[in-house]
Every structure is written in structure tokens, then in C-alpha cells.
Amino acid sequence: MRSSVCAAAILALSVGYATAGVQYGGVNIAGFDFGCDIQGACDTSKVVAPLHQYKGQDGAAQMQHFVKDDGLNAFRLPVGWQWLVDSPGSPLNAAHMEEYDALVQACLATGSLCIIDIHNYARWDGLIIGQGGPTDEQFADLWSQLATKYAKSPKVTMGIVNEPHEVPDIKVWAQTCQTVVNAIRKAGATENIITLPGNGYTSAGSFVSSGSAAALSTVKDVDGTTDKLIFEVHKYLDSDNSGTHTECVSSYVDKMEDLTTWLKNNKRQAILAETGGGGSTASCLKDVCELLSYLNDNSDVYSGYLGWGAGSFDSTYELSLTPEGTKDVPLMTQCFSKMFTSAGGSAGTSPPGNSTTTPDQTSGNSTTSSGDTGSGNSTSGNTGSGNMSSGNTGTSNTGTGSTGTGTGTGTGNAGTGNTGTGNMGSGYGGAVPPVPGGSSSSAPYPTPSSGGSGGGGGGMAMPTGGLPGGQGGYQQGGYQPSTFATSTTSSAAYQGSGSSEYSNTGSGSNTSGNGGGNGGGAAQWGSKSKANVAGSGDSLPDMGEDDECEAD
């Protein structure tokens, strides 16, 4: 049966009611997307399932912690298309789907919104869906199978695909999305929210100017409505909008204005499915909080925000939100958790005059919200919530509503969750992946036992398409992260030089590692470089994020 939380959310979307804060706050739980690059090529041997039973980080415990201790209620679960099927249009790979479904079920067990994200950049092995690559029908077949499986789980949201980019015809892409929507509904998933991504890495800053908003507004549900079709946008706050640096330079709320205005004028909603910054960087603590506050203030058109990322990332990753046990990074406690719960998040907020009683997934208690003609307005007083958003066991929240008062008690138990190990990506000769190329191989990243310092320069900051310059000496040094089985014998595997549109160049060398940056090259690094790059070299495992290089 459809939950009243989902019903309230859908109703809020359809009437354009501005709640006190966004409906959903959460985190990306990554790992099943590892090995995927921005050309939609996915090396499934690089997947690190964020589940303890598959010897990865304990994503299930992480989600329990984020709900119980941080008051969050949404998780995005990236996965590569190639992990789910062996070829476009083929049946789901039963063994792989069993692993991924274990993550989905762990998410659903927390009572949260669970977003399935196909992390393929609108591509399969470099070819764009519906525009020279797999047909719309082949892509829709994937979603038909997933929708059939999760049709009775309305808290599963269908995220069509991650970060389309350089799609030649945005109107044709909208037709692809329409085909997918039709397939999902035909499979029986009629209550599930579907998110629609735009061109340009679905950047919030260019969603309107790229034509994505206008084109995707033509996509309709089978009954002609759009209230369960939400635009998906991303926004990072570092100097090049790539999400690969620990420093933030702006909250970029000015870049959100065009989209916000368009959404209000067209009575539509968007969800910020990826944003983030350095977990303890002062600039990001300021700017990320400011961005989330802006979204709360415009919650009539923004349904939520999710940070990147946790799951199989460890603490060496720049944007890691992975907790150590139940200890969070400051960005989680001070921004994502605090901004969401202080604005009335976790159980959502009902529109005026609509009273709902729902299970409180954060504390395990029941919460009652009355409309503004009743006693207690949950918008201003958190009436009757009993929400233990920070694990304050046994306390109660008392608030004063706009027309009355209300009290609530709760006994919410602070979560404990065990975080797995994995030590992913630490100990490289240069920066730890996925980290910007063009940086030197200096502290705080440990160097291998031998292999020198590596060359500087040489490419963009991303997980695919060539080794960044700072990584030189990795192979010769013989160090490999414990999570991955990578050859340690080739001294020339990562030689080369290269450049990217980010103007970091260099060839570099070291005494024993035969380093040198490679801004492009073969498959797995420098994934966000949109320029042609030169270089040679084998590939390393892509261990992470798809951080976009936005135009804005």
C-alpha cells in the first residue's frame, strides 16, 4: 500500500505548496558504479559492492546510521548498466542483480526513498542511447525489468540515467525519456517517482540554457500528468564545477536562479541528486550549507538534495561522506543533517489542511502533523514529531504551531552501524583516485614503497581515460590498494604525457616509477576531460565519482 509520506510528497508537488524544507535529504551510496567512465563503458571487475556480505564497505549500516543519527531519508544507489545486463536488451544478470537488490532492500528497510541510478551517462560503451547507440527500446527494456521487480515498492524512485552529456539532440533525448517512462508504467510501477536528467551532465547551472528544461517538460506520464516526473540536477561548488576538489569557491545560488524561476513559472520540481565538497573544509562548510538553505527556502520547487558520496568510498576520497562507525565528517553533521532536520525534514511536511499520521523512520515512533486549522502547525513547530534527528535518545521535541501548540515524545535509538574497511585507493604514488590530475604527488597522500614521486600535470581529475600526472611511480613502486587486484610489474604502463582542457600539462618522470602524467590515453582515468587528450597507458580501476565539468 502506498505510504502517506509518499502521498503527502506527491500532493505537495502537484499543488506547488512550499513546505518548511525539502521533502528528502540524503546521500549517494556508491560502489556498484565503480569502473564506469563518462563514455558509458563499465568494467564490472572494478565494482566494489557497498555491502559487508560482499566484502565491501557496510552500506547497510551506513544508511541505518544516516537515518537514525542524522535524520536523513533518501539514498541514491548508483549502478552500471553493464553490471545489470550482459548486453543491451538482454535479461537481468541474476547473480549481479541479487547483489544490487541486497543494497536496494537494505535501503528500503530504513523506510527511506531509494533512487535507482543507472550510472552510464546516456551511453553504452561510448554510443549514445537513441542517437547512434542502443535503441530506445533496448534501454526501456532494462527499465521495464527493473520496474517489474520494484512495482510494489513505491519508495523506489527510478533515476533514468546519470549525467547525459554532449547529447546531439536534446529533443530526441526527451523522446528517449518518454519511451522509458511509458515502459516503467506499463510494467506496473505506477506510483514510483521518475527522475529526468538533462544534457551537460544535468548541471543545475545550465539546465534551462541548454534546452533541457524545455525539452524534458514535454515528457508526460501515461495519464498526461507530470507530478511524479521530477527533473534531476547536479551542482558542485569547486573552482571548475567538477566535484574533484576539497575547496569550495561559492554556493552558486546565483547559478540556481534561472532554474528556480523556470520551475516556479512552470509548476515543476527538481531534485539535487549530487552535490558536495571537502568533508571538513571551512569553505565547503559555508558554501554547501548556504546552498542547502537556499533549496529549503525554495522547497516548493526542490524536493530534496543528496550528498556525494558514501558507500564504498573511504576517508581518502576528497568528497567522502562515509562515516567511521557512527562518526560523521563535519560536512554531514553541520550541513546535510543539520540543514535538513532543522527545516523539518525526515518525515516530510504536509500541505495545509491535510493531516497525516506516518511512521517516523528516524526514531521508530509515530508522528502526527495537523493542518493549520488544527492544533499545531508542523511547518513552524515540528509538532508531535518526536524526531531523534541526531540520536538524542529519549528526548522530546515541543513546538508552537502557527495556530496552536503541539508536543511530541520519542525514544529514538541512536544508530550504531559498523563501517567496513576496504581502504580503497590509498597509497598511490600521487593523489588518491578519483583525484584531479595536474596535482603533484605530494602529501597528504602516501607514496608507494618505491617508485618515486611521479610526474606533475597531465590531465583532468577524473576516474576514466588516462592516468593523471601525479600518479607516476604507482606500478613500479609495487603498491596496490587492498581492494583491487592490479598488476604491479609493468614499469612502463603509465608512461606518457597529456593535456586537458583544464590546461594542466606535463610529461614528468621519476627515478624508478617511469611516471609522467597521462591526461587521456586508454580507458580508465581523466573521465571528465571533454577535450581530446594525448597520451598512452593502460588503465587503472575507476573507483569513484562522475563529477561533472559543468558549463556553469
Side-chain angles (χ1 to χ4, degrees):
M1 185 176 70
R2 182 176 170 189
S3 74
S4 54
V5 169
C6 289
I10 296 294
L11 181 58
L13 303 187
S14 62
V15 302
Y17 173 71
T19 64
V22 298
Q23 294 282 337
Y24 302 109
V27 185
N28 284 263
I29 306 297
F32 281 108
D33 56 312
F34 286 5
C36 292
D37 64 31
I38 65 166
Q39 296 304 320
C42 296
D43 182 349
T44 58
S45 70
K46 306 302 189 296
V47 164
V48 183
L51 291 164
H52 196 261
Q53 63 266 40
Y54 298 113
K55 303 188 185 305
Q57 295 269 22
D58 195 345
Q62 290 178 25
M63 290 186 284
Q64 292 167 9
H65 157 71
F66 286 133
V67 170
K68 293 179 180 179
D69 300 336
D70 294 315
L72 303 183
N73 67 352
F75 300 101
R76 185 168 175 255
L77 313 174
V79 62
W81 188 358
Q82 288 89 333
W83 178 261
L84 297 176
V85 298
D86 296 329
S87 61
S90 66
L92 294 174
N93 181 307
H96 286 179
M97 189 62 208
E98 181 180 0
E99 292 187 29
Y100 182 68
D101 180 59
L103 184 66
V104 176
Q105 297 304 325
C107 177
L108 290 172
T110 69
S112 300
L113 192 74
C114 306
I115 304 172
I116 296 176
D117 160 50
I118 305 302
H119 218 72
N120 276 70
Y121 305 86
R123 288 161 166 79
W124 176 286
D125 289 346
L127 300 177
I128 298 173
I129 301 165
Q131 300 186 49
T135 65
D136 290 353
E137 290 72 24
Q138 287 175 319
F139 188 47
D141 180 72
L142 168 71
W143 274 112
S144 179
Q145 294 182 73
L146 292 171
T148 298
K149 184 173 184 62
Y150 297 111
K152 296 182 179 180
S153 300
K155 286 192 175 182
V156 171
T157 286
M158 315 291 186
I160 288 181
V161 79
N162 180 69
E163 294 187 354
H165 63 91
E166 297 163 307
V167 173
D169 193 327
I170 189 61
K171 293 182 180 178
V172 174
W173 172 246
Q175 294 170 9
T176 297
C177 292
Q178 183 67 69
T179 301
V180 172
V181 169
N182 294 346
I184 289 172
R185 299 310 189 211
K186 185 178 180 180
T190 58
E191 299 300 315
N192 305 71
I193 295 172
I194 302 173
T195 66
L196 309 176
N199 213 348
Y201 299 96
T202 203
S203 168
S206 60
F207 201 81
V208 176
S209 62
S210 69
S212 296
L216 292 172
S217 68
T218 66
V219 180
K220 308 293 184 185
D221 224 325
V222 291
D223 60 359
T225 63
T226 59
D227 58 301
K228 286 174 281 190
L229 305 180
I230 312 300
F231 299 128
E232 177 178 317
V233 296
H234 298 178
K235 190 64 190 167
Y236 288 97
L237 312 183
D238 50 359
S239 58
D240 58 3
N241 302 289
S242 65
T244 58
H245 306 92
T246 57
E247 291 289 342
C248 296
V249 298
S250 171
S251 66
Y252 288 113
V253 295
D254 58 321
K255 299 295 185 182
M256 302 291 294
E257 284 297 334
D258 284 350
L259 176 58
T260 302
T261 299
W262 190 94
L263 292 170
K264 290 177 183 288
N265 289 341
N266 290 273
K267 296 180 172 55
R268 296 299 297 269
Q269 277 218 342
I271 186 168
L272 186 68
E274 285 186 27
T275 190
S280 58
T281 307
S283 60
C284 292
L285 293 175
K286 171 183 175 295
D287 291 337
V288 172
C289 283
E290 185 176 321
L291 174 60
L292 302 188
S293 177
Y294 174 85
L295 298 176
N296 280 334
D297 290 343
N298 291 279
S299 61
D300 56 329
V301 293
Y302 293 106
S303 63
Y305 40 73
L306 294 94
W308 185 275
S312 288
F313 290 122
D314 72 3
S315 61
T316 62
Y317 173 52
E318 267 91 340
L319 306 191
S320 178
L321 293 172
T322 303
E324 295 184 5
T326 58
K327 182 181 179 181
D328 286 309
V329 297
L331 190 66
M332 170 55 67
T333 54
Q334 297 181 35
C335 292
F336 288 102
S337 175
K338 183 176 181 180
M339 298 305 297
F340 183 60
T341 57
S342 65
S346 83
T349 307
S350 301
N354 292 279
S355 179
T356 63
T357 300
T358 68
D360 181 347
Q361 302 298 341
T362 302
S363 62
N365 297 301
S366 175
T367 70
T368 302
S369 303
S370 299
D372 52 7
T373 58
S375 60
N377 185 316
S378 63
T379 298
S380 61
N382 296 323
T383 302
S385 64
N387 177 13
M388 306 300 110
S389 61
S390 298
N392 298 314
T393 304
T395 63
S396 64
N397 299 320
T398 301
T400 301
S402 59
T403 59
T405 61
T407 61
T409 61
T411 58
N413 297 317
T416 55
N418 298 317
T419 301
T421 56
N423 298 319
M424 184 171 39
S426 61
Y428 280 76
V432 178
V435 198
S439 61
S440 65
S441 55
S442 59
Y445 306 108
T447 56
S449 57
S450 63
S453 60
M460 187 40 201
M462 291 313 310
T464 60
L467 190 63
Q471 307 296 326
Y474 166 83
Q475 285 290 80
Q476 187 69 10
Y479 180 91
Q480 60 180 4
S482 59
T483 310
F484 299 97
T486 304
S487 170
T488 60
T489 60
S490 173
S491 62
Y494 302 118
Q495 292 178 329
S497 62
S499 62
S500 76
E501 61 179 317
Y502 292 86
S503 72
N504 295 316
T505 62
S507 57
S509 63
N510 59 59
T511 58
S512 60
N514 297 323
N518 183 351
Q524 290 292 339
W525 280 79
S527 72
K528 287 297 184 181
S529 175
K530 294 185 287 184
N532 292 326
V533 291
S536 62
D538 295 332
S539 62
L540 270 178
D542 167 13
M543 287 180 284
E545 167 43 357
D546 45 68
D547 316 302
E548 72 269 24
C549 297
E550 303 172 350
D552 295 308

